[in-house]
Amino acid sequence: MARRRGAGPLWALGGAALGVCLAGVAGQLVEPSTAPPKPKPPPLTKETVVFWDMRLWHVVGIFSLFVLSIIITLCCVFNCRVPRTRKEIEARYLQRKAAKMYTDKLETVPPLNELTEVPGDDKKKKKKKDSVDTVAIKVEEDEKNEAKK
């Protein structure tokens, strides 16, 4: 049998590595103790005292009432009722459409002071000599001049 070159030190190195690994694993093994096992904690039931002498069902009830009151308050404040029928959905759509049209029309209405004229008040008295005439005022004056002719 022919011996290969370099096989001896390789086997020695592998054996040493295996020995180190086994020593590390053996150090992690838990020694069995002779002490009695730890008692299990009592099971969690609805009568278990959680804190401040309140039982678990007290805490769950108070928390659920708190969450329910927040939900009801938010629904009342923001009016987030879900429509139930097709008629209600269509009515709400038409209502929003009408409100949008109303606001769009309202934006086109000129301010009140431009719509109303005070009796006996003359526009020429208000006009200063230094003010520049706008196109609208010139058109109105031209129309008045044409109507007089």
Side-chain angles (χ1 to χ4, degrees):
M1 191 190 279
R3 190 170 168 179
R4 287 200 263 166
R5 255 176 128 184
L10 186 61
W11 281 102
L13 185 62
L18 183 63
V20 169
C21 287
L22 288 177
V25 170
Q28 293 177 0
L29 293 176
V30 178
E31 297 280 329
S33 66
T34 57
K38 293 180 183 176
K40 292 182 180 178
L44 191 64
T45 63
K46 63 181 179 181
E47 293 299 323
T48 304
V49 175
V50 181
F51 54 87
W52 296 329
D53 291 333
M54 291 196 310
R55 307 217 185 286
L56 181 63
W57 67 272
H58 292 149
V59 175
V60 169
I62 290 171
F63 180 75
S64 61
L65 284 175
F66 177 72
V67 169
L68 185 65
S69 65
I70 288 175
I71 291 172
I72 290 172
T73 303
L74 289 176
C75 287
C76 290
V77 168
F78 293 113
N79 192 18
C80 52
R81 182 183 165 277
V82 179
R84 307 227 185 253
T85 64
R86 183 176 177 173
K87 276 185 175 181
E88 289 180 4
I89 294 170
E90 290 173 352
R92 184 168 288 167
Y93 169 74
L94 291 173
Q95 185 180 17
R96 287 185 183 140
K97 189 176 176 182
K100 174 118 176 74
M101 286 175 48
Y102 177 74
T103 55
D104 290 344
K105 278 235 193 238
L106 197 59
E107 289 175 356
T108 62
V109 175
L112 185 63
N113 59 0
E114 292 179 12
L115 291 177
T116 57
E117 294 181 12
V118 179
D121 192 20
D122 201 10
K123 284 188 178 183
K124 292 184 179 180
K125 288 181 183 176
K126 284 186 177 181
K127 192 163 92 171
K128 296 179 181 176
K129 292 180 181 177
D130 298 335
S131 68
V132 178
D133 289 339
T134 60
V135 176
I137 294 174
K138 288 182 180 178
V139 169
E140 286 178 6
E141 289 176 355
D142 290 343
E143 288 175 356
K144 287 180 184 178
N145 292 337
E146 287 178 13
K148 287 182 182 177
K149 291 180 183 179

